[in-house]
Amino acid sequence: MHQYSIITPTYNRAKYLLRIYDCLCQQGDIDLEWIIVDDGSTDNTKEIISGFEKKFEIKYAYQENAGKPTAMNRGLEMADSYISISLDSDDIICPNTLKKVWNYFDIESGSFKHNCVCLTGLCQYENGDIVGKTFPHDYFVSDHIRYIKNKNIIGDKCLFYVTEILKQTPYPTFPNEKNIAPGIIHTRVAQKYKTLYVNEVFAEKQFLQDGLSAKNYWIMYPNSAELYFNETSAPPFRLKLQIKHSGEYIFFAKMNHKKNIFKEAKNKALFPLGMFAYFFLCIKHALKKINFLQRSNDIIKKRIRSRKQNYHKKIKD
């Protein structure tokens, strides 16, 4: 069994894989496996991977394009390690991070210190700035709901999980939806287990322009959004989030033409307040749509005026 499984789901990102390979080569004397799940790439992903020197075990699997959740689930099935981390195409692990993380792990119990199943650290940008907020404490035991969501600690973080826990918590998948917010996994784990939080930088984020973070995946993946907001509309989420998420659950359930919205709601007690939140959300989206239409109309008018001016100029000339 390896110390680490580094799982990289990828789709047409061949040119970024060398960057990940180089960062893994900078981890020192660590026993790791790099699991690359090729989600139907049409570029030279396979050729790039075959050219890597085997300084550690590299497992490659190809599948028809089915989306990141399916690719992650396949990667986890292939994993044979104590600790796993999902490393996307726009991520790298900072040098010697795996050595640092291993110091928090107890191999006898198969968990991190204080019987935690996850170790969470910080991410930085390429210029060294921290992504989002640092943690209120330099060393703290809690969980994703009570510590991250309820305290509104924004920004991507770097999470190392006990592999077996992730195997027991697969990503939900939906037909015709190729992604889901990773928060659903963090939330489900938080219902049962604890996480150790440390103010140490473990990873660097690049945030590619065509990446998921650049898109509104709630609207793009409404079934996934419905599931996420329904599961996060109940305790131990703080009351304000329960009401807000109840409204968002109703919004996406209606978008998905669900009939038994109340019956399937996780928090029926707050459902009436959720309806108020839903109405406000509808107004917000309507205003955004009006604003978008107005901006589009202004752009069209501007182009028409420009063309008229150019036409009259040509006539005069």
Side-chain angles (χ1 to χ4, degrees):
M1 182 180 289
H2 299 284
Q3 290 173 276
Y4 290 93
S5 293
I6 315 298
I7 304 174
T8 300
T10 186
Y11 174 69
N12 288 343
R13 295 285 177 80
K15 61 182 179 180
Y16 299 103
L17 295 176
L18 178 59
R19 187 169 177 259
I20 298 177
Y21 173 79
D22 287 341
C23 89
L24 297 181
C25 291
Q26 298 176 42
Q27 297 305 315
D29 186 21
I30 289 291
D31 179 18
L32 66 89
E33 61 177 4
W34 186 19
I35 302 172
I36 305 166
V37 181
D38 185 347
D39 189 33
S41 295
T42 56
D43 60 7
N44 60 333
T45 290
K46 187 174 182 179
E47 289 75 13
I48 291 291
I49 295 168
S50 63
F52 290 145
E53 184 180 348
K54 303 301 187 291
K55 294 184 178 181
F56 39 79
E57 184 174 6
I58 299 177
K59 298 179 179 178
Y60 172 81
Y62 178 89
Q63 65 179 33
E64 294 298 324
N65 184 245
K68 183 178 178 180
T70 301
M72 275 300 301
N73 288 341
R74 186 167 183 184
L76 284 167
E77 289 174 359
M78 298 166 63
D80 181 24
S81 64
Y82 293 103
I83 302 171
S84 289
I85 178 174
S86 171
L87 200 62
D88 291 338
S89 303
D90 52 353
D91 301 346
I92 61 170
I93 301 174
C94 297
N96 296 311
T97 287
L98 298 186
K99 276 189 174 182
K100 295 177 184 178
V101 171
W102 189 253
N103 290 331
Y104 290 100
F105 190 77
D106 178 13
I107 196 168
E108 291 186 4
S109 65
S111 62
F112 293 100
K113 291 181 179 180
H114 313 292
N115 202 33
C116 294
V117 303
C118 180
L119 175 71
T120 300
L122 306 175
C123 294
Q124 66 180 20
Y125 295 107
E126 292 178 278
N127 63 3
D129 291 344
I130 299 299
V131 178
K133 295 180 180 178
T134 58
F135 301 125
H137 311 85
D138 288 335
Y139 187 99
F140 197 73
V141 175
S142 185
D143 62 68
H144 182 75
I145 299 173
R146 295 171 179 84
Y147 198 59
I148 300 296
K149 289 300 183 181
N150 287 352
K151 293 184 181 295
N152 193 32
I153 301 176
I154 61 173
D156 280 21
K157 303 295 183 266
C158 183
L159 296 89
F160 290 89
Y161 276 105
V162 172
T163 301
E164 189 56 35
I165 296 301
L166 285 184
K167 286 178 176 284
Q168 296 170 13
T169 319
Y171 280 76
T173 58
F174 295 92
N176 303 318
E177 290 194 12
K178 295 184 178 181
N179 223 313
I180 187 170
I184 190 69
I185 300 299
H186 310 329
T187 298
R188 289 179 174 182
V189 171
Q191 299 284 1
K192 299 180 180 179
Y193 305 103
K194 297 295 183 183
T195 292
L196 175 59
Y197 297 91
V198 295
N199 268 327
E200 295 185 51
V201 175
F202 290 152
E204 182 181 294
K205 305 288 290 186
Q206 190 176 10
F207 292 119
L208 303 176
Q209 290 185 350
D210 60 342
L212 178 62
S213 57
K215 303 172 182 177
N216 187 346
Y217 51 73
W218 299 128
I219 297 298
M220 292 173 64
Y221 310 111
N223 286 291
S224 302
E226 178 193 336
L227 174 67
Y228 174 80
F229 288 117
N230 194 17
E231 291 196 8
T232 60
S233 66
F237 282 87
R238 58 191 173 100
L239 182 61
K240 182 179 178 180
L241 286 178
Q242 291 180 47
I243 297 171
K244 180 176 180 292
H245 290 180
S246 291
E248 287 172 309
Y249 156 66
I250 296 169
F251 179 86
F252 286 105
K254 285 182 175 293
M255 181 182 289
N256 294 326
H257 306 292
K258 291 294 180 67
K259 296 181 179 179
N260 300 319
I261 298 177
F262 176 77
K263 184 178 179 180
E264 295 180 9
K266 297 289 184 183
N267 195 338
K268 293 179 174 59
L270 287 182
F271 194 85
L273 291 176
M275 287 298 296
F276 280 106
Y278 160 71
F279 289 131
F280 281 114
L281 189 61
C282 289
I283 293 171
K284 180 180 177 181
H285 277 272
L287 291 174
K288 280 186 177 180
K289 190 173 183 180
I290 291 172
N291 185 48
F292 173 77
L293 291 173
Q294 287 176 340
R295 285 189 286 112
S296 299
N297 190 45
D298 290 342
I299 291 171
I300 293 170
K301 286 181 179 179
K302 187 177 179 180
R303 288 177 178 175
I304 292 173
R305 285 197 300 268
S306 178
R307 288 176 181 176
K308 283 183 177 179
Q309 289 171 358
N310 290 335
Y311 175 74
H312 291 305
K313 187 177 179 181
K314 288 179 179 179
I315 292 176
K316 290 179 180 180
D317 293 341

